[in-house]
Amino acid sequence: MKLKWTSDKSLLLSRTLTIVVLVLAAAMLFCIPIITEWYDAVSGQEPIHVVLNIALYLSDIIGIAAVWMLYRMLRNLAREQVFVEDNVRSFRVISWCCFAVAAIWLVLTYWRLLAFFVAFVAAFAGLILRVMKNLLAMAVDLREENDYTI
């Protein structure tokens, strides 16, 4: 039996995975102290338990906000609302969330240089999302202009 993959199934999968990530991110809030204690135990460097806890809690809360905005965007897509201002807003918020996480981890590079890698990846993701936001904003403007053209 061959299953046909459709755009509806793909959208359902994306929404389901987004909910799973949202639940995991919320559950992670309870695991952060355990993770930071383990990291301090195995790193062999000066303990940074408190600073790492703060960075992870802030990053996780910002990540939850970003995933929620992604879910809102997927909900709009399910309603066939693609080129709408709400999706532009979602991209904007998600990109700023990435930049905020980058800033948090950039500060953490004072204690651990490896945090620069996380900061760089988050900033790069934010940059890509800003470009996507600009493209979508232009598409929304074109759609609105086209709607008013007779």
Side-chain angles (χ1 to χ4, degrees):
M1 181 171 143
K2 189 172 183 174
L3 295 176
K4 183 171 177 157
W5 195 253
T6 64
S7 61
D8 289 338
K9 289 179 184 177
S10 179
L11 187 59
L12 178 63
L13 177 63
S14 296
R15 291 178 76 185
T16 303
L17 290 175
T18 302
I19 291 170
V20 168
V21 168
L22 192 59
V23 169
L24 289 174
M28 184 62 72
L29 289 169
F30 299 101
C31 301
I32 287 173
I34 298 166
I35 293 168
T36 57
E37 287 176 17
W38 170 83
Y39 174 78
D40 277 346
V42 300
S43 71
Q45 297 178 352
E46 171 189 337
I48 60 166
H49 179 75
V50 174
V51 175
L52 192 56
N53 271 337
I54 293 168
L56 288 174
Y57 275 118
L58 290 174
S59 297
D60 196 26
I61 290 167
I62 293 168
I64 288 170
V67 173
W68 177 252
M69 295 307 290
L70 179 64
Y71 183 77
R72 285 183 52 181
M73 192 177 345
L74 289 169
R75 186 181 60 205
N76 286 342
L77 294 177
R79 295 176 183 162
E80 296 184 5
Q81 298 173 344
V82 180
F83 301 112
V84 294
E85 190 61 37
D86 192 42
N87 289 343
V88 174
R89 190 177 313 108
S90 293
F91 264 121
R92 183 180 300 114
V93 170
I94 295 169
S95 71
W96 282 115
C97 287
C98 289
F99 289 132
V101 168
I104 291 166
W105 287 84
L106 195 58
V107 170
L108 195 63
T109 60
Y110 177 78
W111 291 274
R112 295 290 190 272
L113 195 56
L114 190 58
F116 182 76
F117 177 72
V118 177
F120 178 79
V121 170
F124 188 69
L127 180 62
I128 290 172
L129 288 167
R130 292 298 294 181
V131 171
M132 298 282 293
K133 188 266 315 172
N134 291 336
L135 287 171
L136 186 60
M138 292 174 79
V140 168
D141 290 343
L142 285 172
R143 183 196 56 90
E144 287 176 359
E145 184 179 312
N146 191 28
D147 286 348
Y148 291 123
T149 303
I150 298 176

